[in-house]
Amino acid sequence: MTYYSGPESYREILRRVYEKVEDSFVSWAKLVKDHSDRLDNAFGHFMTLVVQTSKGNAPVLSVFVDSEGRGYVGLSNSSPFETASALYRFPNEVENPYMEVFAGFFGDETELTYHRAIFQSPLKLYFLAYYGNERLLRKEILKDSLRGKDYFRLSEVIDDTLFSICRENYRKWIEFDDGEVLVFPFQNILKIAFGLPKINENIDRSIIMELSRLFRIEVTKQCDVLRNSSVTPDMNISRPVATVFEIDLVDSKPVYERLESFYKYYSKFISETIESMLRFIHTDFPLSK
């Protein structure tokens, strides 16, 4: 028996992937047993195949198989390598026997990377969707519930709209007339990084940064769903960032739908504040000649 959780539009897509790779589960389970002397027997372990686009511009697809040969495929905003330390890593794979399957999932023209490792349970990985062995998945869901976690429960509230936010804007910069915004899904949250606004004044960047910090402090007071955040190494940002917010993925729809107007509001705040300061100094400076 199999079990699925996630947006209904992806049920058949994950089912096809699962059924194509299922034949390998017995041999993958043997790899877990063969390395049991290096593993802590007090915990469960998963032989894991992580498939990603080489550009890192799409959610991560992973295949997990336990020592009994039971498995599932899961889709997540983060790689298992981002949330846990692998107990044993296998050599990186240039090719994979299921390349055609994964190419069909991500798109035939997309270059993919494949990494295999053994991870310890619990995975501490939030899933957008998963499909696989019902007995195994219900066991993992129960473990989650007993620990008061929702790594597997998140998928129950991921609808097509929330999934599209992650899939279509996965860790991408979105260009607006007034500037740009990075949408960075990670685990069960959405980070929103504001690039420097396009303003006419020739102003030192540090001034814009300080004004952006003020903007963020006041905005997070006004909007409970938005929280203060910061740039982290995993975001791999090579351009200036003025400020960063984060929001729970399940609360992100209204913010995402009004993201352009939110950034325009921010840009207007920066621009008008600077213009007002300069005008005040140029017209009312008490030491002018």
Side-chain angles (χ1 to χ4, degrees), residues 93-127:
E93 300 182 19
V94 178
E95 295 186 356
N96 185 278
Y98 298 103
M99 287 181 67
E100 186 176 341
V101 176
F102 298 126
F105 181 86
F106 286 99
D108 292 335
E109 302 302 318
T110 305
E111 184 179 345
L112 302 175
T113 63
Y114 305 92
H115 302 282
R116 290 195 303 163
I118 295 176
F119 286 95
Q120 181 175 286
S121 175
L123 294 165
K124 298 181 180 179
L125 186 66
Y126 285 92
F127 290 101

Side-chain angles (χ1 to χ4, degrees), residues 88-275:
Y88 184 88
R89 288 176 180 253
F90 295 85
N92 291 345
E93 300 182 19
V94 178
E95 295 186 356
N96 185 278
Y98 298 103
M99 287 181 67
E100 186 176 341
V101 176
F102 298 126
F105 181 86
F106 286 99
D108 292 335
E109 302 302 318
T110 305
E111 184 179 345
L112 302 175
T113 63
Y114 305 92
H115 302 282
R116 290 195 303 163
I118 295 176
F119 286 95
Q120 181 175 286
S121 175
L123 294 165
K124 298 181 180 179
L125 186 66
Y126 285 92
F127 290 101
L128 301 173
Y130 51 81
Y131 187 103
N133 183 280
E134 181 175 17
R135 183 182 170 194
L136 172 62
L137 285 169
R138 290 198 180 279
K139 177 182 175 182
E140 295 301 312
I141 293 169
L142 178 60
K143 287 181 182 178
D144 257 9
S145 298
L146 293 175
R147 291 193 302 268
K149 303 296 183 181
D150 58 356
Y151 296 115
F152 283 85
R153 293 291 186 187
L154 175 66
S155 60
E156 296 174 1
V157 295
I158 299 296
D159 57 16
D160 287 331
T161 302
L162 283 174
F163 189 80
S164 293
I165 291 173
C166 298
R167 182 190 61 210
E168 295 173 8
N169 302 284
Y170 187 81
R171 304 185 177 186
K172 293 179 181 177
W173 287 93
I174 302 174
E175 298 283 345
F176 298 133
D177 290 340
D178 300 289
E180 57 186 359
V181 174
L182 173 66
V183 177
F184 191 90
F186 179 82
Q187 288 279 63
N188 62 333
I189 66 173
L190 204 66
K191 283 192 174 186
I192 301 170
F194 282 8
L196 297 177
K198 298 175 182 177
I199 58 177
N200 295 325
E201 303 293 344
N202 184 20
I203 297 296
D204 188 271
R205 184 188 302 172
S206 62
I207 296 174
I208 296 177
M209 295 297 191
E210 281 302 309
L211 290 176
S212 298
R213 189 168 70 89
L214 173 63
F215 177 84
R216 184 180 63 202
I217 290 171
E218 295 304 317
V219 164
T220 51
K221 290 178 183 177
Q222 294 293 321
C223 184
D224 292 340
V225 298
L226 288 174
R227 298 185 294 272
N228 173 38
S229 190
S230 60
V231 173
T232 50
D234 57 289
M235 296 174 76
N236 195 28
I237 295 178
S238 59
R239 63 187 82 180
V241 169
T243 192
V244 185
F245 299 93
E246 74 173 36
I247 183 172
D248 290 336
L249 180 59
V250 296
D251 297 324
S252 64
K253 287 181 191 177
V255 175
Y256 175 77
E257 289 168 355
R258 288 175 279 183
L259 191 56
E260 184 172 6
S261 61
F262 182 26
Y263 187 86
K264 187 173 184 178
Y265 180 81
Y266 156 75
S267 178
K268 184 178 180 182
F269 164 80
I270 298 295
S271 179
E272 292 190 357
T273 300
I274 291 174
E275 287 176 3

Side-chain angles (χ1 to χ4, degrees), residues 68-80:
E68 297 181 33
R70 302 173 302 182
Y72 65 95
V73 293
L75 199 60
S76 55
N77 280 327
S78 303
S79 162

